[in-house]
């Protein structure tokens, strides 16, 4: 028998019981290994830059920063595969997470099988929404304009009023790269100048 390739998982959740449960779950599976568990969002970016992580399981409700901002940061900087594990069904937040590039959404009230199925699907390049979340969401509509993960992340921060320099810092990319993507956003959204980008994105329900 050949060695099974292990996928490195980072857990980001401030509930110790959830962390322990996930460690136990993945400890029983040959194809996964938990490389870390963080209870704060602010340290996630540094962690994924410092060591190999294939998959992040992220709680949207963190004590220090919005989970959606953590998602934007790691998807925008590294195109990371992220699964949202959430205790509350805030439909708007979940829609935002999917638009930003989360690969799967699972509720904490779902069975453990759904978490494993979500991980397998996400790593295979599929989108997975658990039945419990699916009922709350209805049918997720793909946005009418196709933006890359990085462009979605930049759009997310533009909508929060951040400057190019601040966005570059958050995503660990050069300011000219941010400017290039903003020009691409302007082109794809068909707007005459940068000030119109967020307004048009809202009209298209991209945010």
């Amino acid at each position: 028998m050949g060695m099974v390739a292990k996928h490195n998982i980072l857990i980001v959740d401030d509930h110790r019981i959830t962390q322990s449960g996930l460690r136990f779950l993945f400890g029983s599976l040959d194809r996964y290994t938990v490389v870390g568990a963080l209870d704060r969002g602010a340290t996630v970016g540094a962690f994924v830059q410092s060591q190999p992580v294939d998959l992040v399981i992220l709680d949207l409700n963190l004590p220090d920063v919005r989970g959606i901002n953590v998602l934007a940061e790691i998807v925008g900087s590294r195109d990371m595969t992220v699964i949202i594990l959430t205790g509350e069904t805030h439909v708007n937040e979940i829609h935002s997470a999917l638009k930003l590039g989360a690969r799967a959404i699972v509720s904490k009230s779902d069975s453990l099988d759904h978490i494993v199925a979500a991980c397998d699907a996400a790593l295979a390049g599929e989108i997975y929404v658990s039945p419990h979340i699916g009922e709350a969401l209805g049918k997720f509509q793909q946005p009418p304009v196709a933006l890359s993960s990085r462009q979605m992340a930049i759009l997310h921060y533009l909508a929060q009023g951040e400057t190019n320099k601040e966005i570059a810092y958050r995503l660990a990319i050069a300011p000219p790269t941010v400017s290039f993507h903003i020009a691409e956003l302007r082109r794809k959204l068909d707007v005459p100048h940068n000030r119109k980008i967020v307004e048009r994105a809202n009209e298209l329900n991209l945010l």
Side-chain angles (χ1 to χ4, degrees), residues 39-195:
D39 59 6
R40 293 283 183 278
T43 52
V44 176
F47 191 100
V48 298
Q49 284 176 29
S50 69
Q51 54 189 294
V53 174
D54 301 308
L55 186 70
V56 177
I57 298 179
L58 175 68
D59 187 357
L60 284 180
N61 300 308
L62 296 167
D64 59 336
V65 293
R66 289 175 67 206
I68 207 85
N69 283 350
V70 176
L71 173 65
E73 181 186 335
I74 57 179
V75 169
S77 63
R78 307 184 72 76
D79 202 16
M80 183 66 67
T81 301
V82 181
I83 287 172
I84 301 298
L85 180 63
T86 183
E88 296 174 40
T89 315
H90 291 307
V91 173
N92 288 347
E93 287 264 286
I94 291 168
H95 272 302
S96 296
L98 284 167
K99 289 171 191 171
L100 268 171
R103 304 299 306 174
I105 313 278
V106 183
S107 167
K108 288 187 178 179
S109 59
D110 283 316
S111 71
L112 295 177
D113 294 348
H114 286 298
I115 296 172
V116 177
C119 292
D120 291 343
L123 287 168
E126 298 164 19
I127 299 286
Y128 183 95
V129 177
S130 79
H132 182 86
I133 295 287
E135 278 176 33
L137 276 188
K139 184 87 180 83
F140 173 61
Q141 296 292 321
Q142 283 295 341
V145 177
L147 301 179
S148 69
S149 297
R150 180 160 286 174
Q151 286 162 0
M152 277 302 303
I154 289 170
L155 179 59
H156 171 79
Y157 287 120
L158 282 175
Q160 295 189 4
E162 302 218 345
T163 64
N164 290 22
K165 193 174 177 183
E166 287 167 334
I167 295 169
Y169 176 77
R170 283 189 182 279
L171 300 183
I173 56 180
T177 305
V178 176
S179 300
F180 167 78
H181 283 298
I182 287 175
E184 280 294 286
L185 284 170
R186 219 171 43 231
R187 183 181 67 78
K188 286 183 175 181
L189 298 177
D190 194 23
V191 292
H193 46 73
N194 293 357
R195 288 193 305 281

